C-alpha cells in the first residue's frame, strides 16, 4: 500500500480532449493539471482509507482542451460497484438505500 505522502499517479501529464492530443499554444495545461492532481490525490487517500486498492479503482488527474483541470475515475467494474454501494449508503444515511 502506498504511503500517505506518496504520489500514486506518477508525474505523467494527461491531456485529453484536445485535437488528436496536440497542445494548443498559449494554454496553461500544467496549472489545470496541478489542481486536478491535488484533488485526485486527496480522493485516492480517501479510497485507500475506505479499503480500496488503487490498482482496482483510482482518481486520475487530467485536463480538458481548455486547460481546465479534470479528475477522472478509473477502475474495475466490481470495485466501482463497491464504491457505488458505499456512496449510496453514506448519502442515504446508512439505512440500506431507503430514500
Amino acid at each position: 500500500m502506498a504511503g500517505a505522502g506518496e504520489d500514486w499517479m506518477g508525474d505523467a501529464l494527461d491531456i485529453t480532449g484536445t485535437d488528436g492530443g496536440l497542445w494548443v499554444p498559449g494554454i496553461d495545461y500544467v496549472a489545470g493539471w496541478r489542481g486536478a492532481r491535488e484533488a485526485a490525490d486527496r480522493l485516492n487517500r480517501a479510497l485507500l482509507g475506505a479499503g480500496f486498492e488503487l490498482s482496482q479503482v483510482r482518481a486520475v488527474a487530467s485536463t480538458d482542451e481548455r486547460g481546465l483541470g479534470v479528475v477522472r475515475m478509473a477502475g474495475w467494474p466490481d470495485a466501482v460497484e463497491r464504491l457505488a454501494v458505499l456512496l449510496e449508503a453514506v448519502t442515504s444515511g446508512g439505512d440500506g438505500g431507503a430514500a
Side-chain angles (χ1 to χ4, degrees):
M1 180 179 335
E6 189 173 334
D7 171 26
W8 306 286
M9 306 312 337
D11 290 326
L13 175 58
D14 177 26
I15 308 290
T16 57
T18 58
D19 295 330
L22 299 176
W23 292 19
V24 177
I27 294 180
D28 186 2
Y29 295 103
V30 175
W33 176 80
R34 282 185 185 135
R37 181 176 173 190
E38 289 175 15
D41 283 349
R42 182 175 181 189
L43 182 53
N44 284 328
R45 285 190 298 274
L47 289 167
L48 286 170
F52 289 92
E53 294 291 328
L54 296 181
S55 62
Q56 298 172 338
V57 63
R58 68 188 176 281
V60 180
S62 183
T63 64
D64 67 7
E65 63 276 359
R66 297 168 294 168
L68 299 175
V70 176
V71 176
R72 303 181 192 285
M73 293 294 297
W76 296 106
D78 61 329
V80 174
E81 286 290 332
R82 285 183 33 229
L83 178 58
V85 168
L86 176 64
L87 292 173
E88 288 167 348
V90 169
T91 59
S92 67
D95 60 1

